[in-house]
Amino acid sequence: MKNLTIITEFVLIGFSRNPQIQTTLFTLFLVIYLLTLMGNLMMILVIRTDSHLKTPMYFFLSHLSFLDLSFSSVTMPKMLENLLTQKKTISMWGCMTQSFFLLLSGGTEACLLSAMAYDRYAAICHPLLYGMVVNRPLCVGMVIAAWGVGFVNSLTNNLFTYNLHFCGPSVILHFCCELPSLFPLSCTDPTTSAALLAVSCALLGFVTLSLILFSYSRIISAIVSIRSPGAQGKAFSTCSSHLTVVLLFYGTALFRYMIPLSGSMWERVLSIQYSVITSLLNPLIYSLKNQEVKAALHRLLKQ
């Protein structure tokens, strides 16, 4: 190891080296990023200012919007910068920081989605006890627990990765510093780090997804037993937005972290889907399918 040169920066390949394609991609991703910022900031503003939205569901939704802002802001600014410059580099410390916040945001969002599923389960299956069961302290505690689990998961994986030595090549076949893309560049054995990442992500995904599936199995059973078609439709509408977000997030994130690494373009597309596109679509899904949010937005715009 003492005869090897330890690299201090990485080169992010991104999607293409063609200048014309890079210009097109820069315009596209800049629009996506600005729409993501605008949509999620609008959701946070509406929920924080409207007195009609002071319920646990919207409390969780405001934190989800903040997470989506964080998720996209971890990668998008650097990706936009690299699309405009020829030197597509990121420092070692910058890469480790980016990977830490990526894993933190992803793990926290998985936990938060399971908390939102429990909220819907309590609201639909136990409506008379809902106000007592899902109270403010419980909601705050679940959000803190979500951030805590995401932090511990990210810190543990990044500490193991930090102990690896990178001595070349320094080219990352990705647009950001996701941990699976860093392991092939290590000149020390990354088996332990790769196994830890796979196990921790699989465990986190299994636990949170199991809680979500259990909640929705009970929710669907309760909705089917409702005799009124109007009440059934209202119950389904309050859950369909959250279920759509769950499918978008888990459908790509788990697949990205569990498949063998190949460096293909599809891996970058999957990462864009769960870290960028999902953050863009979440506020649209919740605002377009939720009458209360649309009414609150209308009241805010009138003011």
Side-chain angles (χ1 to χ4, degrees):
M1 287 298 298
K2 64 182 180 181
N3 293 327
L4 298 176
T5 302
I6 303 301
I7 60 176
T8 58
E9 63 181 18
F10 295 103
V11 178
L12 294 169
I13 290 296
F15 292 96
S16 174
R17 290 183 176 272
N18 187 310
Q20 292 182 337
I21 296 178
Q22 286 184 348
T23 302
T24 303
L25 289 174
F26 173 81
T27 304
L28 173 64
F29 286 124
L30 178 61
V31 171
I32 289 175
Y33 185 50
L34 292 177
L35 289 175
T36 301
L37 292 178
M38 184 174 65
N40 285 287
L41 286 173
M42 182 63 72
M43 286 295 293
I44 294 172
L45 180 63
V46 168
I47 292 170
R48 295 295 183 184
T49 58
D50 196 287
S51 59
H52 297 83
L53 303 182
K54 302 299 182 183
T55 62
M57 181 176 75
Y58 297 109
F59 173 79
F60 290 126
L61 183 54
S62 66
H63 283 274
L64 180 65
S65 294
F66 177 77
L67 263 176
D68 287 333
L69 278 176
S70 304
F71 217 159
S72 58
S73 296
V74 170
T75 57
M76 291 292 281
K78 186 61 180 178
M79 182 171 66
L80 291 172
E81 177 192 341
N82 288 343
L83 287 170
L84 288 179
T85 60
Q86 293 299 319
K87 187 180 180 182
K88 306 177 187 303
T89 59
I90 184 171
S91 67
M92 179 69 178
W93 279 105
C95 196
M96 290 293 102
T97 302
Q98 192 179 70
S99 67
F100 172 81
F101 283 104
L102 267 174
L103 206 55
L104 169 63
S105 300
T108 304
E109 185 154 337
C111 295
L112 187 62
L113 289 174
S114 65
M116 294 174 72
Y118 172 75
D119 171 69
R120 293 298 82 209
Y121 158 74
I124 294 173
C125 298
H126 304 285
L128 298 179
L129 299 175
Y130 177 67
M132 292 185 293
V133 174
V134 187
N135 50 35
R136 180 76 178 185
L138 178 65
C139 294
V140 173
M142 286 195 287
V143 169
I144 293 174
W147 279 101
V149 171
F151 177 81
V152 171
N153 179 56
S154 181
L155 181 64
T156 304
N157 280 283
N158 278 275
L159 284 177
F160 271 78
T161 304
Y162 182 73
N163 289 326
L164 299 177
H165 295 280
F166 298 93
C167 47
S170 61
V171 176
I172 299 176
L173 299 176
H174 212 303
F175 64 88
C176 65
C177 290
E178 282 191 311
L179 291 183
S181 300
L182 294 178
F183 295 147
L185 307 182
S186 174
C187 48
T188 51
D189 187 8
T191 303
T192 303
S193 298
L196 175 64
L197 180 66
V199 170
S200 63
C201 289
L203 182 62
L204 183 61
F206 175 77
V207 172
T208 55
L209 190 57
S210 296
L211 291 172
I212 292 171
L213 293 177
F214 172 77
S215 297
Y216 274 98
S217 66
R218 300 295 299 272
I219 288 170
I220 292 172
S221 177
I223 291 176
V224 170
S225 64
I226 298 175
R227 296 182 180 273
S228 170
Q232 280 187 340
K234 185 177 180 181
F236 270 120
S237 67
T238 61
C239 298
S240 59
S241 299
H242 179 254
L243 198 55
T244 303
V245 170
V246 168
L247 292 174
L248 285 173
F249 180 76
Y250 279 92
T252 52
L254 285 179
F255 190 65
R256 166 72 179 96
Y257 275 85
M258 298 311 297
I259 61 172
L261 190 68
S262 64
S264 67
M265 180 62 72
W266 283 110
E267 291 175 355
R268 282 166 266 180
V269 172
L270 286 174
S271 297
I272 281 287
Q273 170 64 44
Y274 75 80
S275 65
V276 176
I277 303 300
T278 301
S279 299
L280 169 68
L281 294 179
N282 283 355
L284 294 176
I285 292 170
Y286 278 104
S287 61
L288 293 177
K289 300 186 70 174
N290 191 306
Q291 296 298 326
E292 291 180 331
V293 172
K294 288 193 286 187
L297 181 60
H298 181 68
R299 288 192 292 269
L300 179 65
L301 292 177
K302 285 182 65 177
Q303 291 175 3

